[in-house]
Amino acid sequence: MPLSHPRRSALSEQVIAALRAQITSGEWPVGSRIPTEPELVEQLGVARNTVREAVRALSHNGLLDIRQGSGTYVVATSELAGVMQRRFAEADPRHIAELRSTLESAAARLAAGRRTEKDLKQLDALLRRREEAWGSGDKEAFVAADATFHLAVVSASHNDVMTAMYADLGEVLRDWLREDVGERLTPETYMDHGRLLEAIRAGEADTAATEAARYPFLCRPGRISSPAGD
C-alpha cells in the first residue's frame, strides 16, 4: 500500500522501515535482488529520490549491496548481521568453526532440557527438508536448509539473546559452509544430524552438546580438525 506523506524526514524513515521489513520477514531473502527503483516507487507511492535515499541508507547499514548494472541485492537481515559479515569476511576458517561449535554446543545442551513438542515437530520437518535438499544435489538449497535447521536448534534453547546472536551470524556461517562443502555435494562432506535431534528429543544434554560441537569440524576432512583431533 502507498505510504502516507508526512514531512520528508519522517517519510524517508517510513520507506526505510518498509524495505527493512521486507528483508527481515524473509520476503526478500539474503542473496535475492530487490525490485527496481521504478517498481519500488510504484509500490510505495513515493518519489524516486525518497526510494533512492532509503536504499542507500540500507546499503550503508550493510543490509543491501548496490551493484552497478546488475541491481540491488540483500546481503544481510539486520544491521548487526551486515557488520558481522564485513568484520569476519576474511577470518580464519578454524576460528569461525570454533565459534560455531561453541555456540551450537551450548544451545543444543539447553535445547535438550527446554525443547517443546512444537520445537521437535519443527526440527523433524527441517531435518527432512535438509535431507531432501542433499538428495537433490542443489548446493544452495542444502546450505539454506542446513542453516535453517541449526538456527532452529539454537532457537529451541529458548535463550533469546543466544538465538539473536546466532541469527546475526547467519550469513557468516552460511558463507563458511559454502566454502567448506566445496563446489558440489559429495559423500565425504555429508553430515548426519539425526543423532543430534534424537539427543535433544530424549533430553540427553551431554550427548546433544557433543554432537553439535562436532559438526563444524567434519565438513572437510583433513582441512579443519577438531580440538580433540577427531
Side-chain angles (χ1 to χ4, degrees):
M1 294 179 59
L3 300 173
S4 57
H5 294 264
R7 58 190 177 85
R8 182 173 180 79
S9 61
L11 181 58
S12 295
E13 289 301 318
Q14 283 192 44
V15 175
I16 290 171
L19 300 185
R20 183 187 286 111
Q22 295 287 84
I23 296 168
T24 57
S25 69
E27 185 70 22
W28 296 342
V30 171
S32 68
R33 184 174 64 182
I34 72 171
T36 64
E37 191 174 275
E39 289 172 333
L40 291 174
V41 167
E42 182 177 352
Q43 289 175 18
L44 300 173
V46 296
R48 182 183 294 263
N49 284 344
T50 304
V51 168
R52 187 173 301 154
E53 189 177 317
V55 169
R56 285 176 177 169
L58 292 175
S59 174
H60 178 74
N61 290 347
L63 276 70
L64 297 176
D65 180 26
I66 302 171
R67 303 174 189 173
Q68 295 300 325
S70 178
T72 299
Y73 293 79
V74 179
V75 292
T77 54
S78 72
E79 281 80 355
L80 181 55
V83 169
M84 287 185 171
Q85 187 176 11
R86 293 192 298 274
R87 172 65 179 82
F88 298 123
E90 303 300 324
D92 185 325
R94 181 180 178 83
H95 295 168
I96 297 297
E98 289 171 347
L99 174 61
R100 181 181 172 192
S101 174
T102 299
L103 285 174
E104 293 188 14
S105 179
R109 181 181 295 278
L110 292 173
R114 298 177 179 176
R115 87 291 182 277
T116 64
E117 286 303 314
K118 182 178 179 180
D119 292 329
L120 292 175
K121 287 180 181 179
Q122 182 181 30
L123 287 168
D124 282 333
L126 292 176
L127 184 60
R128 285 195 298 271
R129 184 188 302 173
R130 180 181 182 274
E131 297 302 308
E132 290 167 0
W134 177 272
S136 74
D138 186 329
K139 174 182 171 179
E140 281 304 312
F142 173 72
V143 168
D146 184 74
T148 303
F149 174 81
H150 283 281
L151 178 58
V153 170
V154 177
S155 181
S157 73
H158 293 276
N159 181 313
D160 292 342
V161 175
M162 187 179 292
T163 302
M165 178 181 292
Y166 190 89
D168 284 331
L169 280 166
E171 192 56 28
V172 173
L173 300 179
R174 282 190 287 273
D175 284 345
W176 174 87
L177 182 59
R178 286 187 190 98
E179 182 178 351
D180 247 42
V181 166
E183 291 301 314
R184 60 189 180 87
L185 305 179
T186 65
E188 291 75 19
T189 56
Y190 177 77
M191 298 160 285
D192 179 17
H193 285 14
R195 289 183 298 182
L196 170 60
L197 177 51
E198 290 311 310
I200 292 173
R201 191 190 312 277
E204 297 172 353
D206 288 344
T207 302
T210 299
E211 287 294 321
R214 294 172 63 242
Y215 294 132
F217 300 99
L218 295 178
C219 289
R220 188 174 298 177
R223 177 179 168 185
I224 300 178
S225 60
S226 71
D230 294 339

